[in-house]
Amino acid sequence: KNLEVIAAIDGLPADKAGVKAKDIITNINGQSTSGMSVDEAVGKIRGPKGTKVKLGIVRDRSEQLNFDITREDIKLPSVKTKIIDGNIGYLQITTFSDDTAKLVNDAANDFKSKGVKAMIVDVRSNPGGLLDSAVSVSDLWLGQGQTILQEKRGNEVVKTYTAQEGGIFSGLPTVVLIDGGSASASEILAGALRDNNSAYLIGEKSYGKGVVQQLINFGNGSQLKVTVASWFRPNGQNINKKGITPDKVIKISDEDAKADKDTQLQSAQDYLKSKIAQ
């Protein structure tokens, strides 16, 4: 099993070094990752602030790259907000942690008090996190009883997650930005809003991680990770290994990236301005 990067989070050491979603980590400080568990790899990649770790990477199955990454203390705010041109609320969620739902709720109340006319939710390069956090955030756009996701074992639905009450953003024109680094909880949010006609998706196809996994510990210290259930979108589609294709596919070219030109965000603004004008 390859060690594959889900997302290099914006502005952090791996991203600054040039690591990208779907890169395969083949060695860490010269040691092959063949047969290495994710936890073991994480232990080798982490280290004291200011020290370096060398990663060997294979990109697009052919290109071999090496990165020297300087470690930093990472204190990651899971939510960033601002109001952009056209009185559009911009909400970037970098991970779904235990404080995300509260931070998004606080932002929602702030946006409402300022009378925003539309919303952009940016979950690009968001590798996921807590399921309950994604469900709570989805709730802000949905009406009571609308399906957020289903958890299935085989063909049997073991749990259905539904919206609890009318959301503060219900009916507000919304774009969700996704890309190849949007995974797991990010895909739950994007799928829930899209399938309930509460958002339009722009960007690139998401990663495709939609399974519930459980660790079984053995007496000899070994572990077995077992997939016990899968996540399905409200429209009945499985997320795992399929991902979510946006309504409008836009790729950021290398030239645009170097020029710091965010064509996906610009497309979202253009789409929402046309909606507001209607």
Side-chain angles (χ1 to χ4, degrees), residues 21-50:
K22 298 194 180 294
D23 282 351
I24 304 296
I25 302 173
T26 56
N27 64 76
I28 302 167
N29 289 328
Q31 181 181 350
S32 170
T33 59
S34 178
M36 192 180 288
S37 71
V38 172
D39 288 343
E40 188 181 353
V42 168
K44 293 180 183 299
I45 291 169
R46 287 178 177 165
K49 177 182 178 180

mmCIF file of all heavy atoms in Angstrom, residues 21-50:
data_model
loop_
_atom_site.group_PDB
_atom_site.id
_atom_site.type_symbol
_atom_site.label_atom_id
_atom_site.label_comp_id
_atom_site.label_asym_id
_atom_site.label_seq_id
_atom_site.Cartn_x
_atom_site.Cartn_y
_atom_site.Cartn_z
ATOM 1 N N ALA A 21 -1.194 17.164 -3.479
ATOM 2 C CA ALA A 21 -2.128 16.051 -3.296
ATOM 3 C C ALA A 21 -1.823 14.950 -4.307
ATOM 4 O O ALA A 21 -1.452 15.221 -5.448
ATOM 5 C CB ALA A 21 -3.567 16.536 -3.458
ATOM 6 N N LYS A 22 -1.965 13.703 -3.859
ATOM 7 C CA LYS A 22 -1.755 12.481 -4.651
ATOM 8 C C LYS A 22 -0.286 12.145 -4.887
ATOM 9 O O LYS A 22 0.030 11.159 -5.568
ATOM 10 C CB LYS A 22 -2.540 12.510 -5.968
ATOM 11 C CG LYS A 22 -4.055 12.585 -5.756
ATOM 12 C CD LYS A 22 -4.828 12.276 -7.024
ATOM 13 C CE LYS A 22 -6.333 12.346 -6.797
ATOM 14 N NZ LYS A 22 -6.852 11.318 -5.900
ATOM 15 N N ASP A 23 0.647 12.945 -4.354
ATOM 16 C CA ASP A 23 2.058 12.538 -4.366
ATOM 17 C C ASP A 23 2.225 11.256 -3.556
ATOM 18 O O ASP A 23 1.584 11.086 -2.512
ATOM 19 C CB ASP A 23 2.939 13.634 -3.756
ATOM 20 C CG ASP A 23 3.197 14.796 -4.701
ATOM 21 O OD1 ASP A 23 2.847 14.690 -5.887
ATOM 22 O OD2 ASP A 23 3.753 15.817 -4.238
ATOM 23 N N ILE A 24 3.096 10.371 -4.014
ATOM 24 C CA ILE A 24 3.404 9.135 -3.291
ATOM 25 C C ILE A 24 4.743 9.315 -2.572
ATOM 26 O O ILE A 24 5.747 9.647 -3.204
ATOM 27 C CB ILE A 24 3.498 7.917 -4.241
ATOM 28 C CG1 ILE A 24 2.210 7.759 -5.061
ATOM 29 C CG2 ILE A 24 3.811 6.646 -3.458
ATOM 30 C CD1 ILE A 24 0.984 7.447 -4.266
ATOM 31 N N ILE A 25 4.752 9.127 -1.246
ATOM 32 C CA ILE A 25 5.999 9.235 -0.474
ATOM 33 C C ILE A 25 6.702 7.883 -0.525
ATOM 34 O O ILE A 25 6.218 6.889 0.023
ATOM 35 C CB ILE A 25 5.711 9.640 0.990
ATOM 36 C CG1 ILE A 25 4.952 10.978 1.035
ATOM 37 C CG2 ILE A 25 7.017 9.737 1.789
ATOM 38 C CD1 ILE A 25 4.475 11.374 2.430
ATOM 39 N N THR A 26 7.850 7.843 -1.212
ATOM 40 C CA THR A 26 8.573 6.577 -1.394
ATOM 41 C C THR A 26 9.679 6.371 -0.361
ATOM 42 O O THR A 26 10.058 5.237 -0.078
ATOM 43 C CB THR A 26 9.178 6.498 -2.802
ATOM 44 O OG1 THR A 26 10.026 7.645 -2.998
ATOM 45 C CG2 THR A 26 8.088 6.463 -3.857
ATOM 46 N N ASN A 27 10.209 7.477 0.188
ATOM 47 C CA ASN A 27 11.212 7.320 1.252
ATOM 48 C C ASN A 27 11.227 8.544 2.157
ATOM 49 O O ASN A 27 10.859 9.648 1.744
ATOM 50 C CB ASN A 27 12.606 7.016 0.678
ATOM 51 C CG ASN A 27 13.157 8.148 -0.149
ATOM 52 O OD1 ASN A 27 13.614 9.150 0.393
ATOM 53 N ND2 ASN A 27 13.116 8.004 -1.477
ATOM 54 N N ILE A 28 11.627 8.307 3.395
ATOM 55 C CA ILE A 28 11.730 9.365 4.405
ATOM 56 C C ILE A 28 13.145 9.331 4.954
ATOM 57 O O ILE A 28 13.582 8.309 5.496
ATOM 58 C CB ILE A 28 10.718 9.138 5.553
ATOM 59 C CG1 ILE A 28 9.287 9.076 5.004
ATOM 60 C CG2 ILE A 28 10.836 10.243 6.604
ATOM 61 C CD1 ILE A 28 8.269 8.542 6.007
ATOM 62 N N ASN A 29 13.892 10.422 4.755
ATOM 63 C CA ASN A 29 15.298 10.471 5.158
ATOM 64 C C ASN A 29 16.081 9.273 4.618
ATOM 65 O O ASN A 29 16.900 8.673 5.315
ATOM 66 C CB ASN A 29 15.427 10.543 6.687
ATOM 67 C CG ASN A 29 14.992 11.896 7.226
ATOM 68 O OD1 ASN A 29 15.151 12.922 6.564
ATOM 69 N ND2 ASN A 29 14.431 11.906 8.420
ATOM 70 N N GLY A 30 15.779 8.906 3.360
ATOM 71 C CA GLY A 30 16.511 7.831 2.703
ATOM 72 C C GLY A 30 15.989 6.442 2.996
ATOM 73 O O GLY A 30 16.435 5.467 2.379
ATOM 74 N N GLN A 31 15.037 6.295 3.927
ATOM 75 C CA GLN A 31 14.493 4.981 4.269
ATOM 76 C C GLN A 31 13.233 4.713 3.454
ATOM 77 O O GLN A 31 12.311 5.530 3.419
ATOM 78 C CB GLN A 31 14.155 4.912 5.765
ATOM 79 C CG GLN A 31 13.607 3.548 6.196
ATOM 80 C CD GLN A 31 13.245 3.507 7.668
ATOM 81 O OE1 GLN A 31 13.558 4.431 8.425
ATOM 82 N NE2 GLN A 31 12.584 2.449 8.088
ATOM 83 N N SER A 32 13.187 3.571 2.792
ATOM 84 C CA SER A 32 12.034 3.218 1.981
ATOM 85 C C SER A 32 10.774 3.113 2.836
ATOM 86 O O SER A 32 10.812 2.626 3.973
ATOM 87 C CB SER A 32 12.279 1.884 1.267
ATOM 88 O OG SER A 32 11.080 1.426 0.657
ATOM 89 N N THR A 33 9.642 3.562 2.280
ATOM 90 C CA THR A 33 8.369 3.477 3.002
ATOM 91 C C THR A 33 7.617 2.188 2.676
ATOM 92 O O THR A 33 6.485 1.994 3.127
ATOM 93 C CB THR A 33 7.463 4.673 2.648
ATOM 94 O OG1 THR A 33 7.234 4.669 1.233
ATOM 95 C CG2 THR A 33 8.102 5.987 3.072
ATOM 96 N N SER A 34 8.240 1.294 1.906
ATOM 97 C CA SER A 34 7.587 0.031 1.561
ATOM 98 C C SER A 34 7.250 -0.754 2.832
ATOM 99 O O SER A 34 8.132 -1.018 3.666
ATOM 100 C CB SER A 34 8.507 -0.798 0.662
ATOM 101 O OG SER A 34 7.910 -2.039 0.367
ATOM 102 N N GLY A 35 5.995 -1.089 3.013
ATOM 103 C CA GLY A 35 5.562 -1.834 4.192
ATOM 104 C C GLY A 35 5.404 -0.997 5.450
ATOM 105 O O GLY A 35 5.057 -1.509 6.513
ATOM 106 N N MET A 36 5.646 0.306 5.343
ATOM 107 C CA MET A 36 5.576 1.196 6.513
ATOM 108 C C MET A 36 4.129 1.619 6.758
ATOM 109 O O MET A 36 3.417 1.973 5.820
ATOM 110 C CB MET A 36 6.455 2.428 6.258
ATOM 111 C CG MET A 36 6.706 3.294 7.483
ATOM 112 S SD MET A 36 7.759 4.753 7.074
ATOM 113 C CE MET A 36 9.361 3.977 6.816
ATOM 114 N N SER A 37 3.683 1.589 8.016
ATOM 115 C CA SER A 37 2.328 2.037 8.337
ATOM 116 C C SER A 37 2.272 3.564 8.320
ATOM 117 O O SER A 37 3.304 4.244 8.396
ATOM 118 C CB SER A 37 1.899 1.530 9.721
ATOM 119 O OG SER A 37 2.613 2.221 10.731
ATOM 120 N N VAL A 38 1.051 4.097 8.222
ATOM 121 C CA VAL A 38 0.879 5.553 8.233
ATOM 122 C C VAL A 38 1.402 6.138 9.543
ATOM 123 O O VAL A 38 2.117 7.152 9.546
ATOM 124 C CB VAL A 38 -0.612 5.930 8.035
ATOM 125 C CG1 VAL A 38 -0.818 7.424 8.240
ATOM 126 C CG2 VAL A 38 -1.076 5.525 6.650
ATOM 127 N N ASP A 39 1.077 5.499 10.676
ATOM 128 C CA ASP A 39 1.516 6.014 11.975
ATOM 129 C C ASP A 39 3.040 6.026 12.082
ATOM 130 O O ASP A 39 3.627 6.970 12.626
ATOM 131 C CB ASP A 39 0.924 5.166 13.109
ATOM 132 C CG ASP A 39 -0.578 5.392 13.280
ATOM 133 O OD1 ASP A 39 -1.076 6.409 12.764
ATOM 134 O OD2 ASP A 39 -1.232 4.547 13.908
ATOM 135 N N GLU A 40 3.685 4.988 11.553
ATOM 136 C CA GLU A 40 5.152 4.916 11.578
ATOM 137 C C GLU A 40 5.747 6.037 10.721
ATOM 138 O O GLU A 40 6.713 6.705 11.120
ATOM 139 C CB GLU A 40 5.604 3.552 11.063
ATOM 140 C CG GLU A 40 7.100 3.285 11.231
ATOM 141 C CD GLU A 40 7.522 1.937 10.677
ATOM 142 O OE1 GLU A 40 6.639 1.147 10.281
ATOM 143 O OE2 GLU A 40 8.740 1.685 10.639
ATOM 144 N N ALA A 41 5.145 6.261 9.544
ATOM 145 C CA ALA A 41 5.632 7.315 8.654
ATOM 146 C C ALA A 41 5.471 8.687 9.296
ATOM 147 O O ALA A 41 6.385 9.520 9.251
ATOM 148 C CB ALA A 41 4.877 7.264 7.330
ATOM 149 N N VAL A 42 4.317 8.923 9.912
ATOM 150 C CA VAL A 42 4.070 10.205 10.590
ATOM 151 C C VAL A 42 5.118 10.432 11.673
ATOM 152 O O VAL A 42 5.656 11.538 11.830
ATOM 153 C CB VAL A 42 2.635 10.243 11.187
ATOM 154 C CG1 VAL A 42 2.474 11.423 12.138
ATOM 155 C CG2 VAL A 42 1.611 10.330 10.067
ATOM 156 N N GLY A 43 5.430 9.375 12.434
ATOM 157 C CA GLY A 43 6.434 9.478 13.498
ATOM 158 C C GLY A 43 7.804 9.874 12.963
ATOM 159 O O GLY A 43 8.555 10.596 13.620
ATOM 160 N N LYS A 44 8.135 9.404 11.753
ATOM 161 C CA LYS A 44 9.436 9.720 11.160
ATOM 162 C C LYS A 44 9.452 11.119 10.528
ATOM 163 O O LYS A 44 10.486 11.781 10.484
ATOM 164 C CB LYS A 44 9.813 8.664 10.110
ATOM 165 C CG LYS A 44 10.088 7.293 10.700
ATOM 166 C CD LYS A 44 10.465 6.295 9.634
ATOM 167 C CE LYS A 44 10.659 4.901 10.235
ATOM 168 N NZ LYS A 44 11.748 4.861 11.238
ATOM 169 N N ILE A 45 8.292 11.548 10.015
ATOM 170 C CA ILE A 45 8.226 12.861 9.366
ATOM 171 C C ILE A 45 8.221 13.986 10.402
ATOM 172 O O ILE A 45 8.839 15.030 10.204
ATOM 173 C CB ILE A 45 6.978 12.954 8.453
ATOM 174 C CG1 ILE A 45 7.151 12.023 7.245
ATOM 175 C CG2 ILE A 45 6.740 14.383 7.979
ATOM 176 C CD1 ILE A 45 5.902 11.832 6.417
ATOM 177 N N ARG A 46 7.547 13.775 11.525
ATOM 178 C CA ARG A 46 7.511 14.795 12.574
ATOM 179 C C ARG A 46 8.854 14.874 13.292
ATOM 180 O O ARG A 46 9.603 13.905 13.347
ATOM 181 C CB ARG A 46 6.417 14.464 13.590
ATOM 182 C CG ARG A 46 5.014 14.707 13.076
ATOM 183 C CD ARG A 46 3.976 14.309 14.103
ATOM 184 N NE ARG A 46 2.627 14.614 13.651
ATOM 185 C CZ ARG A 46 1.530 14.130 14.213
ATOM 186 N NH1 ARG A 46 1.608 13.314 15.243
ATOM 187 N NH2 ARG A 46 0.337 14.466 13.742
ATOM 188 N N GLY A 47 9.121 16.054 13.862
ATOM 189 C CA GLY A 47 10.360 16.235 14.606
ATOM 190 C C GLY A 47 10.446 17.650 15.138
ATOM 191 O O GLY A 47 9.530 18.463 14.929
ATOM 192 N N PRO A 48 11.551 17.978 15.840
ATOM 193 C CA PRO A 48 11.674 19.313 16.451
ATOM 194 C C PRO A 48 11.649 20.441 15.429
ATOM 195 O O PRO A 48 12.134 20.287 14.298
ATOM 196 C CB PRO A 48 13.042 19.248 17.159
ATOM 197 C CG PRO A 48 13.319 17.790 17.329
ATOM 198 C CD PRO A 48 12.695 17.119 16.162
ATOM 199 N N LYS A 49 11.068 21.560 15.829
ATOM 200 C CA LYS A 49 11.010 22.762 15.001
ATOM 201 C C LYS A 49 12.409 23.158 14.541
ATOM 202 O O LYS A 49 13.368 23.125 15.313
ATOM 203 C CB LYS A 49 10.383 23.899 15.808
ATOM 204 C CG LYS A 49 10.320 25.229 15.083
ATOM 205 C CD LYS A 49 9.732 26.307 15.967
ATOM 206 C CE LYS A 49 9.702 27.652 15.274
ATOM 207 N NZ LYS A 49 9.139 28.717 16.131
ATOM 208 N N GLY A 50 12.516 23.510 13.261
ATOM 209 C CA GLY A 50 13.793 23.969 12.719
ATOM 210 C C GLY A 50 14.638 22.869 12.113
ATOM 211 O O GLY A 50 15.566 23.154 11.349
#
